Amino acid sequence: MLMDATRPLHGKILATISNHFELSGILDVLAGELLARFELDGFLCNLVDENRTRLICQAIQLPEKFREMQKTYHKSLTFPLNTPDSTIDCLRENRVIQIDTDSFELIPEATRDRIERWEIVSSAYIPVVSAQEVIGVVTVFSQKHRIDPADVHEIQVEIETLAGLIQSALSVEYLRLKEKRINEMHMRNQRFMKKLVAVNSITSMRQIYPRIIQEVLDWLDFDFVLISILTDNCIEPQIAMTSNQNRQSQVDQWFDYIAAQRYPLEISGSAVSAAFLKDTHIYVKDATKITSLPMSVRDKNTIEMLGYPKTICHIPIKKVDD
């Protein structure tokens, strides 16, 4: 049966997902309907984590040119609630924020950087409110034209109608994640006890770094590992190693370059800087497919110097307070 084009959007979505209660399925259908109906180019849905400390990207659809970045941002792009970003402003203030070229200079740097890199002309940040509580933000954008405020209002109404369904599906997802974490913690504790005896006698950080890197190389099958530490208001490399000794000179050259440049404490400075400042990992599944996209000079040179690696992952090191 064909659905009437004038039928409320949430009616179409509810009909589509009546037998599918996964959060990803709900958001994918919502994204597809919004992009098609309002001739938009991009969609993101960032929802609060279970502790309400940050927003997590639960769904993303980007234009074809940036499609490979979806795998990098999905579940990995996060916004701590103290981040200067229009997404967080929308969440905290529970209001729609529309950004066009005439308001470009008034927005936070991180938002402006994202708009420039994704070639966005007009965007709207819309709060997702369930039971009078803001649980996330939907962002839509156009690369071609200004989004009509009337369209933004209609999108907001549809999101309000579906917010309860999104909240329920999100709660189910958190329960599954909690069960998964319990199982992973049990296995991790077993591995930790095996490593504890070997590491317990090491007192020098210079001895610990190679041990950590070797564990990563052995366990996760990476080719290169670099450890960098915050020093003097920048992120400074400490040691780099490779699993292939034939490429050690290549790694040494890369290390010398990073040691000379260092990573600045600016989100736009490098992916390493962004991971550190946002306290989240950044995972690029296939770096060879994003080399033509806008990125910092440090990141572009790193990819070139390492021979265009396939996968790159930046993970912040957290100190556990006593």
Side-chain angles (χ1 to χ4, degrees):
M1 181 178 70
L2 294 176
M3 290 187 287
D4 185 353
T6 62
R7 182 178 178 179
L9 186 56
H10 63 267
K12 290 186 177 183
I13 297 175
L14 289 173
T16 304
I17 64 176
S18 58
N19 296 317
H20 189 73
F21 195 65
E22 298 288 335
L23 178 64
S24 60
I26 295 171
L27 297 180
D28 285 347
V29 173
L30 174 61
E33 292 288 350
L34 293 181
L35 295 179
R37 173 173 288 196
F38 300 103
E39 297 182 351
L40 300 168
D41 298 301
F43 169 96
L44 293 90
C45 181
N46 298 287
L47 301 176
V48 293
D49 66 359
E50 54 191 320
N51 298 317
R52 290 191 67 87
T53 60
R54 66 183 62 211
L55 289 174
I56 300 175
C57 180
Q58 297 288 353
I60 179 169
Q61 290 195 27
L62 297 176
E64 183 63 33
K65 178 179 178 180
F66 304 96
R67 193 64 49 81
E68 284 298 321
M69 297 301 295
Q70 290 182 180
K71 300 172 185 176
T72 300
Y73 288 124
H74 184 237
K75 302 285 188 179
S76 298
L77 178 64
T78 67
F79 298 86
L81 297 191
N82 60 352
T83 303
D85 194 283
S86 297
T87 306
I88 298 300
D89 294 341
C90 173
L91 178 84
R92 283 181 165 178
E93 300 169 17
N94 187 16
R95 68 180 179 92
V96 174
I97 297 176
Q98 186 160 355
I99 300 174
D100 301 310
T101 53
D102 57 351
S103 58
F104 187 72
E105 296 301 324
L106 303 177
I107 61 178
E109 178 185 355
T111 306
R112 186 162 57 248
D113 181 62
R114 191 166 57 248
I115 287 175
E116 289 177 341
R117 292 190 177 187
W118 290 355
E119 302 170 2
I120 296 173
V121 170
S122 179
S123 56
Y125 299 77
I126 304 166
V128 181
V129 184
S130 176
Q132 298 183 330
E133 183 177 42
V134 185
I135 63 170
V137 175
V138 166
T139 303
V140 294
F141 67 81
S142 171
Q143 295 178 314
K144 308 179 192 69
H145 57 79
R146 182 174 186 267
I147 303 174
D148 191 326
D151 288 347
V152 174
H153 177 71
E154 186 175 345
I155 293 170
Q156 182 183 14
V157 171
E158 299 295 349
I159 290 172
E160 288 174 353
T161 304
L162 296 168
L165 185 62
I166 293 172
Q167 172 72 81
S168 298
L170 182 63
S171 298
V172 171
E173 176 137 320
Y174 286 154
L175 287 174
R176 291 173 179 167
L177 286 174
K178 185 174 292 186
E179 181 181 10
K180 180 181 178 182
R181 280 199 299 268
I182 291 173
N183 293 333
E184 289 176 346
M185 186 180 299
H186 176 69
M187 296 181 65
R188 189 164 56 246
N189 287 342
Q190 288 183 319
R191 289 195 301 267
F192 174 75
M193 293 305 295
K194 292 179 181 179
K195 305 294 182 184
L196 185 60
V197 175
V199 177
N200 193 43
S201 60
I202 300 177
T203 57
S204 168
M205 291 303 294
R206 290 296 176 182
Q207 292 177 299
I208 291 177
Y209 290 154
R211 187 59 182 263
I212 294 173
I213 289 180
Q214 196 59 56
E215 291 295 338
V216 173
L217 291 173
D218 293 344
W219 182 28
L220 299 178
D221 197 30
F222 278 102
D223 297 302
F224 310 98
V225 177
L226 170 72
I227 291 180
S228 300
I229 300 296
L230 177 65
T231 58
D232 299 327
N233 294 318
C234 66
I235 306 169
E236 189 168 355
Q238 302 295 311
I239 184 174
M241 291 173 56
T242 175
S243 57
N244 184 349
Q245 293 305 312
N246 293 329
R247 305 184 71 175
Q248 187 61 51
S249 60
Q250 184 181 21
V251 174
D252 292 341
Q253 181 185 11
W254 171 47
F255 180 85
D256 291 342
Y257 167 75
I258 296 301
Q261 297 289 323
R262 301 192 292 183
Y263 295 109
L265 288 180
E266 302 170 0
I267 288 180
S268 60
S270 73
V272 170
S273 303
F276 179 85
L277 292 171
K278 290 189 173 184
D279 189 18
T280 186
H281 72 275
I282 294 179
Y283 172 73
V284 181
K285 187 174 182 180
D286 191 348
T288 62
K289 295 183 178 180
I290 66 169
T291 53
S292 62
L293 300 182
M295 65 178 69
S296 73
V297 173
R298 291 174 183 82
D299 292 338
K300 185 175 289 291
N301 288 341
T302 288
I303 291 175
E304 292 177 357
M305 295 177 73
L306 293 181
Y308 297 92
K310 181 79 171 177
T311 300
I312 299 175
C313 187
H314 304 296
I315 305 173
I317 300 173
K318 300 181 181 180
K319 179 181 178 181
V320 179
D321 295 330
D322 295 334

